[in-house]
Amino acid sequence: MEYIVETKHLTKSFGKEKAVSNLEMKIPKGEIYGFLGPNGAGKTTTIRMLLGLMRPTSGSVQLFGKDMKNNRIEILKNVGSLVENPSYYPHLTAKENLEASRKILNVPKKRIDEVLQQVRLHGVANKKVKGYSLGMKQRLGIAAAMLHQPELLILDEPTNGLDPSGIIEMRQLIQSLPKEYGMTVLISSHLLSEIDQMATRVGVVSKGKMIFQDSIETMRKFAQASIQVKVNDNEAAWRSLLANGQKADLGEESVTLQAEDDEQVAASIRYLVQQGFSIYRVQEEKRSLENIFLEMTKEEQAG
Amino acid sequence: MFSVINSEWYKLRKSKVLFLLLIAPLIGLFIGIANSSIEIEGINAWHGKLVMMNFTYAILFLPLISGVLASVICRYEHQEGGWKQLLALPVTRGKVFLSKYLLLILLMLVMQLMYLVSIYLVGMIEGITDPFPMDIVWKSIFGGWVATLPLIALQLWVSIAFKSFAAPFAINVIFTLPTILVINSERFGPYYPWGQPFLMMNIGGSTEDVFFVPWDQILMVVGGSFLLFFIGGYLYFLKKAI
């Protein structure tokens, strides 16, 4: 498989503290890769190393199959980025900010209007960025990242500070990029719901380690449903199910059936009815991705 | 390389501090007009003017203005993540450093040339009839510029290192003020980066040399400190964590 981003044993230490440790990130072409982890897990440090802003303590970074160490300029010609808080020159307008980058990137002037249109800042293009709201600055940052139509777009917390409608717009924009321009996108976030709605692949990082990396579908499979039954006497019902050889867990207010298919659920319910329990409720509960994410990162922290 | 300088020039131009370049030549002009020089028989009347104007210009305003410009050229990078934005573009850090430095020394050359205009204007206004001492003035203007090269490298280094605008400015003022004392010391004077512009601009000494200060001293002191500060700042910037 062709990987746009591939890191090998990537490690960054600050003193004794390992901010990133043995990280192996693999991003295939055309994917929207959600880079997920709690605050301080090492996401931004990893992204800085991907952009060559920071040198790894050990390990390597390869973008487009080229080593970052020796091909930095060549690689960066095809990478657009927004790292952490939006970066900008406060004394310049949006247009002038983009012009300062454009001179270095050497792209046609019309690209400035095009990207401003894409992030819907064309109305305020001639105002000083100093007076922009956080959301507008964020959008300007994304516009700057797309100026040279890069093959790889790296966005660190791109929806920070955006209002709900801004988030939806941004999501639509990001989702359209692989389809329309064949871009590969890396988005980092600490919010799973956000990644869940955009990403096609997920990497979960905790304490500097990659603890999960696969397609979003695989991650969703972890979110298996369970059946909760509420009866007049939960404990008695639970004992009776166990005595009958059916798997169940006792919860505080209900019994959870560990059923693998619908027939098993039906069998358990039939049995409970026959035993004379009053069944108040049978409901399906899905473990949310949020819970899975929390469990994943918690296990790591405990260990 | 040119595109990086072009971008730097664009950002600096838009920051509206270039009027600062006018201040020092204007003050030179006022000092030249305000003080009547003593006429001494047999000495070119321009000399008296030059000695007086150079004193305030080279000791005080030249190093102060170059320091402010060095801070400004780094200030907007420090403010809102500009370094990050700039260095994630396909540029090498070396080119960024060199571009900023080249832009600064070019601006200082412009300021020196404006100062030359000031000198000429003073003479016109005062009605000096002696011939304009072209060679002396050029030595002063061009030599003074050469002597700012190490100073600017040092100021750029300090400005990159400090995130705040005030710190490099304060450091610059602290080291500029004692210049008047330090240049009187024969031992330390030539080695003081803030004093070098004055020593180079000060007229006198032997006129046979290309500059007023002997070549070997220029090469050693100005050249040596230039290499020290430029390479130091350059390496510091290459290693700096952004």
Side-chain angles (χ1 to χ4, degrees), chain A residues 154-194:
Chain A
I154 296 179
L155 304 174
D156 192 6
E157 309 262 357
T159 51
N160 248 359
L162 293 185
D163 53 22
S165 72
I167 291 178
I168 293 170
E169 257 171 49
M170 201 51 61
R171 194 187 300 144
Q172 286 167 344
L173 176 67
I174 289 170
Q175 280 176 322
S176 72
L177 294 174
K179 280 176 239 151
E180 283 177 35
Y181 307 102
M183 277 186 201
T184 306
V185 187
L186 166 68
I187 324 164
S188 83
S189 180
H190 58 276
L191 296 173
L192 184 111
S193 56
E194 206 175 278

Side-chain angles (χ1 to χ4, degrees), chain A residues 254-291:
Chain A
S254 63
V255 179
T256 306
L257 301 179
Q258 293 179 3
E260 271 157 29
D261 56 40
D262 291 350
E263 278 309 310
Q264 271 189 354
V265 177
S268 300
I269 301 295
R270 195 179 309 123
Y271 178 74
L272 285 177
V273 173
Q274 282 162 359
Q275 295 296 307
F277 290 103
S278 307
I279 298 179
Y280 300 147
R281 253 175 222 86
V282 179
Q283 60 195 20
E284 186 182 43
E285 194 181 56
K286 277 202 164 168
R287 269 167 81 204
S288 67
L289 283 179
E290 207 69 51
N291 281 340

